[in-house]
Amino acid sequence: MTEKLNTGSHDLPISDALAAFMATGWADTRRDDLTALPLAAYTAKRRAALAARFPGERLIIPSGTLKARSNDSDYRFRSHSAFTYLTGDQEPGNVLVIEPSGSATLFLRPRSPRSAPGTAGQEFYRDRRYGEFWVGRRPDLAEAEALYLIDCAAVDRLDDALGGPARVLRGVDASLDSRVAAHDGDGELETFLSEMRLVKDEWEIAELQFSVDATARGFEDVVRALPQALAHRRGERYLEGVFGLRSRLEGGAVGYDSIVASGAHACVLHWIRNDGRLNENELLLLDAGVETDNLYTADITRTLPLSGRFSPIQRQVYELVYEAQSAAIAALRPGARFRDFHRTAMRVIAEGLHDWGVLKIGADEAMETDSGLYRRYTLCSSGHMLGMDVHDCARARSEVYLDGVLEEGQVLTVEPGLYLQPDDLTLPPELRGIGVRIEDDLVITADGARLMSAGLPRHPDEIEGWMSAISA
C-alpha cells in the first residue's frame, strides 16, 4: 500500500504533465565514497552487549516519530537516545531489530525514488515531512550500511521481522507499539537500556568533553554580551539567544531549554521563560549546555554578578554554595555511594544556614530524614548522571543508580544551590530573592574525579577576574 503524502493545505495541485516531467532527467547521486562513522565500532559493541543480556530474544528499539508543534509544522526531530546509542542513526521512523540469533538490522526509510509510478515517485518533491526537496537528503540503504556498519533494510519490510514474541522499547513509536503484542519483559528492556549507559566508554567521554568545552565558550559569549543585554528590555532572552547561537555553531542544539534567570527568577529552579529585564545590581543564574551533533550534552551552571562584582550579601550566599560544592566534589570516588556527595553538600548548606540564624535547629537534626527543614532553602538534589540525556539513565533501577555506588567512567553533575524566595518571611529581607547554583560536570576516575568543566571559574574571586578580562 502506498503511503499518503504529507502535503500542506496550500500546496498547488500537480498536473500529469508536471508529474511526468519531474520523473525524468535526474543524475545518479548515490555515494560510494562514504566511510564508517567513528562511533560505529562502539555501537556494534553496544548491540552485542544488549543481545548478550537477552539471549535468544527479539529486541525492537525505534528511533521515534515526528511530532507536530502546531497544525502541519513539526518540532525539529530528536531521536530516542537508546536508539542512537545503539546505531548512530538519528532519522525519524527508523527501527533497530536484534534477532534471537544476535544479528541486527536497521530498518530505515530509503531515499525517495525519482521515477516510481504514482505518489511513491512524487514523495521527493511533494512530501513536506520526508521529501528530499523539503527536508534534505537521507542516506540510502547501502550508504547507511557504510556509515553505521550494520545491515540495513527498507522500513516497509519491517512487518516481516515482527513475527513472534519480542521485547519493545515502548512509548517511542505508537504505530510500532500497536503492531507488536505487549511483552512482560518490555519494562526490563527499557531499564537495561538506561543501565548500560551508566558507564561511559572513551569515545563518549571525549564527546562529552567537547560538549563541555563548547558550553564554556558559550558562557564566555554571554559575559561578552552583557552590556547589550543589560540595555534590552528582555535581557534574559537576549542572552538565551547568544548561548543558542554557540550551540548551533558547535553542536546541533541546546541540550535542554536554557535557564537564564536574573534576580529573583533565579529562585525558580527551572526558569525557562527568560523574559526578564536585567538589573546590574542583581545576580544572573545561567544553566545551559551545548548538545553535540552526536546528541551528548553538557550541563553547567554559573551564577554571575551582573555588575561584575559580588555585593557582600551576594558573596555570602555564593560562598556557602561554593563550599558545599567543593565538599561534594571531594567526596567523589569509585565505591562511594551515589547519594554521598549530595549529603555532603547538604550538611555544609545546613551548617551555613544555622550559622546565619536562618535554620533554627542544628545541622544534625536538620539532616535527619524525619526533618529535612534545610530543604526549604535548597529543595532539590545536588546532581545526576549526564550523557545523551541531560538527566541520563533515568530508567535505571535505584539499586544501581541512586542507591548504588560510583564507578570509574561515570559522568555526573554536582550542583548544590540556595533558592531564597522573595516572599519567604523566615529570611531576613537582605537575603530574600537571591538564587545561587554552581554546577559542574565530572567524570569518575580510578582514584577520584576529574573536573571536566575546569575551564570555567568557580571561586567568586576567579569569577570577578574572568568577567573583567572578557569585558576588557
Side-chain angles (χ1 to χ4, degrees), residues 425-445:
L425 299 181
T426 70
L427 294 168
E430 64 271 19
L431 286 175
R432 296 174 195 166
I434 297 178
V436 173
R437 178 163 67 250
I438 312 171
E439 180 178 19
D440 283 276
D441 302 340
L442 300 103
V443 56
I444 302 300
T445 61

Side-chain angles (χ1 to χ4, degrees), residues 271-466:
W271 174 263
I272 59 173
R273 297 180 196 172
N274 301 341
D275 60 358
R277 182 182 288 276
L278 305 182
N279 181 330
E280 68 176 5
N281 296 316
E282 295 178 330
L283 298 174
L284 173 75
L285 188 155
L286 175 63
D287 184 336
V290 172
E291 182 180 77
T292 70
D293 292 334
N294 293 302
L295 306 185
Y296 286 78
T297 186
D299 182 6
I300 299 173
T301 306
R302 287 296 182 267
T303 305
L304 310 173
L306 285 167
S307 67
R309 299 189 66 83
F310 293 96
S311 71
I313 194 66
Q314 290 169 349
R315 180 176 280 266
Q316 175 186 325
V317 177
Y318 187 96
E319 286 183 341
L320 178 53
V321 177
Y322 172 80
E323 291 166 2
Q325 193 205 29
S326 297
I329 290 173
L332 298 176
R333 64 183 59 85
R337 304 206 70 80
F338 176 83
R339 295 187 191 271
D340 286 352
F341 76 89
H342 168 68
R343 294 191 179 102
T344 298
M346 291 303 98
R347 175 164 290 278
V348 174
I349 292 288
E351 289 172 350
L353 291 171
H354 179 67
D355 291 344
W356 293 352
V358 169
L359 193 61
K360 305 306 181 185
I361 59 175
D364 288 342
E365 183 179 352
M367 293 291 291
E368 293 293 332
T369 55
D370 60 354
S371 174
L373 299 189
Y374 69 91
R375 293 183 59 194
R376 178 184 179 108
Y377 311 103
T378 186
L379 196 61
C380 66
S381 182
S382 299
H384 51 81
M385 293 295 177
L386 184 68
M388 298 185 79
D389 294 320
V390 63
H391 300 143
D392 211 30
C393 312
R395 301 299 184 184
R397 292 166 296 165
S398 292
E399 57 264 35
V400 298
Y401 179 6
L402 298 177
D403 295 323
V405 298
L406 297 175
E407 297 181 47
E408 184 177 357
Q410 291 180 334
V411 178
L412 70 162
T413 69
V414 177
E415 51 173 312
L418 278 171
Y419 312 98
L420 308 178
Q421 301 298 331
D423 58 348
D424 191 340
L425 299 181
T426 70
L427 294 168
E430 64 271 19
L431 286 175
R432 296 174 195 166
I434 297 178
V436 173
R437 178 163 67 250
I438 312 171
E439 180 178 19
D440 283 276
D441 302 340
L442 300 103
V443 56
I444 302 300
T445 61
D447 56 358
R450 177 171 64 84
L451 186 62
M452 302 177 76
S453 46
L456 285 173
R458 295 191 305 120
H459 190 277
D461 291 344
E462 295 172 345
I463 283 180
E464 290 177 347
W466 174 69

Side-chain angles (χ1 to χ4, degrees), residues 217-247 254 258-262 274-279 283-288 302 304-306 467:
R217 290 187 284 273
F219 277 54
E220 293 173 2
D221 295 340
V222 165
V223 172
R224 199 171 288 113
L226 283 178
Q228 293 81 13
L230 281 160
H232 198 280
R233 68 182 180 87
R234 283 187 165 180
E236 291 177 348
R237 197 158 292 180
Y238 189 103
L239 297 178
E240 179 185 7
V242 168
F243 186 84
L245 175 60
R246 175 64 64 175
S247 298
V254 291
S258 299
I259 298 168
V260 189
S262 63
N274 301 341
D275 60 358
R277 182 182 288 276
L278 305 182
N279 181 330
L283 298 174
L284 173 75
L285 188 155
L286 175 63
D287 184 336
R302 287 296 182 267
L304 310 173
L306 285 167
M467 294 180 69

Side-chain angles (χ1 to χ4, degrees), residues 89-346:
D89 178 41
Q90 297 181 36
E91 291 289 333
N94 294 351
V95 181
L96 170 67
V97 176
I98 297 179
E99 297 292 346
S101 64
S103 64
T105 303
L106 175 59
F107 289 87
L108 52 80
R109 180 183 290 269
R111 290 183 64 199
S112 309
R114 298 291 177 96
S115 58
T119 57
Q122 298 178 11
E123 181 189 81
F124 75 98
Y125 66 93
R126 292 191 63 194
D127 194 296
R128 289 170 170 263
R129 276 191 155 183
Y130 302 108
E132 200 166 294
F133 284 14
W134 288 93
V135 298
R137 189 185 192 280
R138 57 183 177 266
D140 65 20
L141 300 184
E143 291 168 350
E145 288 183 345
L147 290 170
Y148 308 130
L149 298 183
I150 184 174
D151 291 337
C152 294
V155 74
D156 59 11
R157 291 178 48 202
L158 177 61
D159 284 344
D160 297 339
L162 299 183
R167 296 181 192 248
V168 178
L169 179 61
R170 295 193 178 271
V172 180
D173 185 328
S175 173
L176 186 63
D177 287 349
S178 67
R179 290 149 65 192
V180 183
H183 189 293
D184 290 341
D186 287 338
E188 190 178 7
L189 172 62
E190 181 182 34
T191 295
F192 184 73
L193 288 170
S194 267
E195 293 178 356
M196 70 185 301
R197 302 202 327 259
L198 281 167
V199 175
K200 271 59 180 179
D201 57 43
E202 63 270 22
W203 185 91
E204 291 181 284
I205 292 171
E207 189 75 4
L208 282 163
Q209 187 64 65
F210 176 85
S211 175
V212 167
D213 294 343
T215 299
R217 290 187 284 273
F219 277 54
E220 293 173 2
D221 295 340
V222 165
V223 172
R224 199 171 288 113
L226 283 178
Q228 293 81 13
L230 281 160
H232 198 280
R233 68 182 180 87
R234 283 187 165 180
E236 291 177 348
R237 197 158 292 180
Y238 189 103
L239 297 178
E240 179 185 7
V242 168
F243 186 84
L245 175 60
R246 175 64 64 175
S247 298
R248 288 291 283 161
L249 289 176
E250 298 213 39
V254 291
Y256 52 95
D257 288 329
S258 299
I259 298 168
V260 189
S262 63
H265 290 167
C267 300
V268 180
L269 274 70
H270 286 175
W271 174 263
I272 59 173
R273 297 180 196 172
N274 301 341
D275 60 358
R277 182 182 288 276
L278 305 182
N279 181 330
E280 68 176 5
N281 296 316
E282 295 178 330
L283 298 174
L284 173 75
L285 188 155
L286 175 63
D287 184 336
V290 172
E291 182 180 77
T292 70
D293 292 334
N294 293 302
L295 306 185
Y296 286 78
T297 186
D299 182 6
I300 299 173
T301 306
R302 287 296 182 267
T303 305
L304 310 173
L306 285 167
S307 67
R309 299 189 66 83
F310 293 96
S311 71
I313 194 66
Q314 290 169 349
R315 180 176 280 266
Q316 175 186 325
V317 177
Y318 187 96
E319 286 183 341
L320 178 53
V321 177
Y322 172 80
E323 291 166 2
Q325 193 205 29
S326 297
I329 290 173
L332 298 176
R333 64 183 59 85
R337 304 206 70 80
F338 176 83
R339 295 187 191 271
D340 286 352
F341 76 89
H342 168 68
R343 294 191 179 102
T344 298
M346 291 303 98

